[in-house]
Amino acid sequence: MSELEQVLDQEIDAQELEEEEELFYTEIDELQNHGINSSDIVKLKSAGICTVRAIHMTTRRNLCKIKGLSEAKVDKLKETACKLQVSASFMTGTEFSQIRSKVMHISTGSKTLDSLLGGGIPTMSITEAFGEFRTGKTQIAHTLCVVAQLPPSMGGTNGKAAFIDTEGTFRPERIKAIAARFGIDQEAALENILFARAFTSEHQMELIIELTARFAEEKGVYRLLIIDSIIALFRTDYAGRGELAERQQKLNIMLNRLTKISEEFNVAVYITNQVQADPGSNMMFVSDPRKPIGGHVLAHASTIRLYLRKGRGDERIAKIYDSPDMPEAEAPYTIAAGGIIDSSG
C-alpha cells in the first residue's frame, strides 16, 4: 500500500463522520413534507433551484417566471422556506464564523502561490485568474483538478472537480502527468473530473444549472468548479457596443449563479479571464496597459482576482489584484510537466 493510500484510508472515516456537519443546506425535496407538491419541486429543480436556500436566493419575480408556478404557489414556497432555513435571517458574528470555518483551500501545487492566497484556492468563493496567453491560467486549472482529489493533509479536499471548457483547452494527458506527480492513479484522477464543452454562452449557463442539480444530488462530493474561460463565449455571442449592455446583464446573471453555487455547496469556483489593451493607459503613464475583460460586473463578482504575467525565462508571476482578506503581493511560480510548481529562481 502506497503512502497516499494509507493517508486516504486514515482520513476517509473522519470525512464520513463530518459529512453531515459539512452539508449546511437543506435539500428541496424536504418541502414535500411541508405541503409542497412534488410536481412543483420538479419544476424548481429544472430551473436549477435544488436547495431550500436557493429559494431564498431567488426573487419572487424570477420564481413566477418558472412555468407552472403562480404567485400564490411562490408565496407558499417562500413562507415554507423561511420556516426551514434559519440562516436566511440575521445571525451573530460567531454563528457566521462557524459557517466560515468550513471553508477549505485547494493547493495550486506551488507553496509560494498558496502562501499568497492564504493556503490555496478557497471554497465558498469565486477566484478569477486573468492574464495574457502562456501565463498559466489553464495549467493552474488542470493542477487544481488533480489536487482537489487529494486528502486535506496534502492540500486537497477529498472531492471531485467539474470543468466547463469554453475554449477547447482541457487536456486529459495533462491530468495524467499531474496525477503521476502526486502519485495517484491516472485513470481514477480522470474519472473524478466531470467535463463538458460549452459552445455558446447560453449553453454555458445551461451546464451551470445542470451542475447545480448534480451538486445537490451528490452531497459533498464536488469541491471544485472550473470555467475556462468565463468570458470567451460572451465575446463571440455579443459583438459591438450595441450589445454590450445585454452581454453584461447576461454575464452578471451567470456570475450571480456561480456565487450562489459556491456558498450553497461549499465549492471553490475558479474562473479564467482574458485581457485587453487599454488605449488610454499610455496617456496616464501606466506601466502595464493590459486590463481584464468583463468590466465592473466581473470585478465585483470575483472574490479574489489574480493577475498572472510572464517573468524571466520560464518564471511566471502571480499578483493579488483584489481580495477581501489578503494584502496586495506577488509570488513567482513555474509551469512544469507535473503542473504548477515553485519557481527555482
Side-chain angles (χ1 to χ4, degrees):
M1 183 179 290
S2 68
E3 181 181 348
L4 174 60
E5 289 174 330
Q6 291 176 351
V7 174
L8 284 170
D9 287 340
Q10 291 170 0
E11 295 193 3
I12 192 69
D13 293 333
Q15 185 195 21
E16 289 174 352
L17 290 172
E18 294 174 2
E19 186 85 1
E20 291 302 320
E21 295 181 7
E22 291 178 359
L23 300 176
F24 46 89
Y25 62 85
T26 306
E27 288 186 79
I28 203 164
D29 292 319
E30 180 64 24
L31 294 177
Q32 199 168 346
N33 299 326
H34 297 268
I36 304 299
N37 293 329
S38 59
S39 59
D40 291 334
I41 292 174
V42 171
K43 293 169 187 173
L44 289 169
K45 286 183 176 180
S46 66
I49 301 171
C50 302
T51 67
V52 173
R53 192 178 183 190
I55 294 176
H56 290 295
M57 292 176 168
T58 309
T59 63
R60 280 182 167 82
R61 179 186 174 190
N62 286 332
L63 285 172
C64 286
K65 289 180 180 178
I66 299 173
K67 189 176 181 180
L69 292 185
S70 63
E71 287 188 17
K73 285 184 176 181
V74 168
D75 288 339
K76 187 177 181 180
L77 280 169
K78 284 284 187 179
E79 182 183 346
T80 307
C82 283
K83 294 176 182 177
L84 291 174
Q85 194 75 26
V86 179
S87 62
S89 186
F90 285 102
M91 66 178 71
T92 65
T94 302
E95 290 171 327
F96 184 66
S97 178
Q98 290 174 350
I99 293 176
R100 289 293 301 171
S101 68
K102 296 174 183 177
V103 171
M104 296 174 280
H105 290 82
I106 304 173
S107 172
T108 60
S110 165
K111 292 180 180 179
T112 55
L113 188 51
D114 288 346
S115 179
L116 181 75
L117 293 164
I121 303 295
T123 57
M124 291 195 207
S125 301
I126 295 178
T127 301
E128 173 201 352
F130 67 90
E132 60 179 335
F133 63 95
R134 292 187 65 244
T135 52
K137 302 185 296 293
T138 300
Q139 298 307 314
I140 291 176
H142 281 73
T143 306
L144 289 172
C145 281
V146 176
V147 176
Q149 303 175 37
L150 298 172
S153 61
M154 298 179 69
T157 57
N158 275 330
K160 294 183 179 181
F163 196 116
I164 297 177
D165 183 2
T166 68
E167 297 183 313
T169 55
F170 182 76
R171 294 292 181 271
E173 53 268 26
R174 289 295 295 133
I175 297 297
K176 290 182 178 180
I178 297 167
R181 166 191 170 187
F182 290 100
I184 64 176
D185 184 81
Q186 297 178 13
E187 294 303 325
L190 281 170
E191 193 66 28
N192 287 329
I193 299 171
L194 190 66
F195 171 79
R197 177 77 163 91
F199 297 99
T200 67
S201 56
E202 289 180 358
H203 185 208
Q204 187 173 328
M205 187 63 178
E206 289 168 3
L207 290 171
I208 291 171
I209 292 173
E210 184 182 335
L211 276 178
T212 306
R214 188 179 286 265
F215 287 174
E217 289 171 8
E218 301 183 41
K219 305 176 183 179
V221 171
Y222 290 88
R223 292 301 181 197
L224 175 66
L225 168 57
I226 288 171
I227 303 181
D228 185 18
S229 74
I230 189 71
I231 199 73
L233 297 177
F234 283 94
R235 298 182 79 186
T236 303
D237 296 345
Y238 301 91
R241 288 185 176 274
E243 296 183 331
L244 181 61
E246 185 182 359
R247 186 194 83 174
Q248 291 302 89
Q249 183 184 23
K250 296 288 186 182
L251 177 62
N252 195 19
I253 292 171
M254 181 178 291
L255 291 167
N256 182 259
R257 174 70 67 137
L258 290 174
T259 300
K260 292 172 182 176
I261 287 174
S262 69
E263 294 181 5
E264 268 186 277
F265 304 109
N266 196 11
V267 169
V269 177
Y270 173 82
I271 60 177
T272 66
N273 191 13
Q274 301 167 346
V275 292
Q276 64 183 5
D278 183 3
S281 61
N282 292 331
M283 298 177 65
M284 295 181 290
F285 303 102
V286 177
S287 58
D288 193 341
R290 291 177 290 270
K291 67 176 184 179
I293 297 168
H296 295 296
V297 167
L298 190 49
H300 290 302
S302 301
T303 313
I304 300 172
R305 306 192 87 188
L306 272 180
Y307 174 36
L308 310 181
R309 70 177 192 272
K310 298 171 185 174
R312 294 181 179 178
D314 294 333
E315 189 178 78
R316 302 290 185 269
I317 307 293
K319 178 182 179 180
I320 293 285
Y321 197 78
D322 182 37
S323 172
D325 54 359
M326 298 304 296
E328 186 176 306
E330 295 183 350
Y333 63 94
T334 303
I335 304 169
I340 302 300
I341 61 172
D342 287 324
S343 177
S344 57

